[in-house]
Amino acid sequence: MNIILLGAPGAGKGTQAAKIAEKYSLLHISTGDIFRANIKGGTEIGKLAKSYIDAGKLVPDEVTCEIVKGRLTEINDGFMLDGFPRNLFQAQELDKFAKIDLCLNLDVDDRLLLDRICGRRMCVCGASYHVSSLGGKTACEKCGKELYQREDDNPQTVGARLETYNKQTSPLISYYGKQNKLATVDCGTMSPDEVFGCVVKVLDKFIK
Ligand code: ADP
Ligand code: ZN
C-alpha cells in the first residue's frame, strides 16, 4: 500500500504519520524532515531549502521531486508520503514514478491551525506537543529531552505557509478525488488518538 498524507500545516500530519507508519509497516517519507536534516547538516540542499522554508514558500520542484524520486527507487511498495506532493506539478511528476493507492486528507478548520502551529513544541525523538497541554513542562514526556520550537513555527511564516497551502496544495484534494483515490477524515476538534481511530477505519476498509 502506497499512501499520501495530505493536510494543511498544523493539521497533524506528522503525528498521524508516525502512528500509521508503525501500525501498517510503511516507510515514512517526510520532505519537511528531509529538508530539516539537510539544514542541520549544512548541505547545499539545506542551504537552498532554508531560504524558502523561512519564507513559508515551497522549495523548488526540481529539488523536491529529485529527493522523493531518489527515495522511492529504493522501494516500490509500502510507503507513506508526508508533505509531498504539495502542488499539481509534483503530483503529476509523482504519477510518473510511483503508483499511489490512496490520498488521506486530514481536514482541520482553518481557524484552529494558527494556534496549533504557533503553540507547537517538538522533540528530537519525533514527539510533538501543544504548550497548552504541557502545563509549563519543557521536557519530552517520552524521552526526557528538552523540547524546542521549529524555526518556521512563528506567526509571520505560518501566515505564508497557510497561504501557500490554500493556493498550491489544496487543489490536490480534487486531483485525487477525480482519480477516486481520496479519503477525507474530518478532524474537527478530535484528539490525535480519535483522529487515528478514524484513519484506521479508512485504511482497514481500504486494505480489505
Ligand atoms: P508543515 O506541513 O507543518 O508546514 P513540513 O515539515 O511538511 O511542515 O514542511 C516544512 C516546509 O518544508 C514547507 O513549508 C516547505 O517550505 C518545505 N517543503 C516540505 N515539503 C515540500 C514539498 N513537497 N515541496 C516544496 N517544499 C516543501
Ligand atoms: Zn522525546
Short mmCIF file of all heavy atoms in Angstrom, two decimals, residues 123 125 140 143, ligand 2:
data_model
loop_
_atom_site.label_atom_id
_atom_site.label_comp_id
_atom_site.label_asym_id
_atom_site.label_seq_id
_atom_site.Cartn_x
_atom_site.Cartn_y
_atom_site.Cartn_z
N CYS A 123 10.11 17.50 19.83
CA CYS A 123 11.24 16.80 20.46
C CYS A 123 12.05 16.12 19.36
O CYS A 123 11.48 15.71 18.35
CB CYS A 123 10.76 15.76 21.45
SG CYS A 123 12.12 14.83 22.19
N CYS A 125 13.01 13.27 19.31
CA CYS A 125 12.57 11.88 19.16
C CYS A 125 11.37 11.77 18.22
O CYS A 125 10.94 10.68 17.88
CB CYS A 125 12.23 11.25 20.51
SG CYS A 125 10.62 11.74 21.18
N CYS A 140 10.41 16.48 27.08
CA CYS A 140 9.57 15.49 26.41
C CYS A 140 9.10 14.43 27.40
O CYS A 140 9.90 13.89 28.17
CB CYS A 140 10.35 14.84 25.28
SG CYS A 140 9.46 13.53 24.43
N CYS A 143 10.86 10.90 26.18
CA CYS A 143 12.29 10.60 26.29
C CYS A 143 13.06 11.54 27.22
O CYS A 143 14.25 11.35 27.45
CB CYS A 143 12.93 10.60 24.90
SG CYS A 143 13.13 12.25 24.22
ZN ZN B 2 11.24 12.98 23.02
#
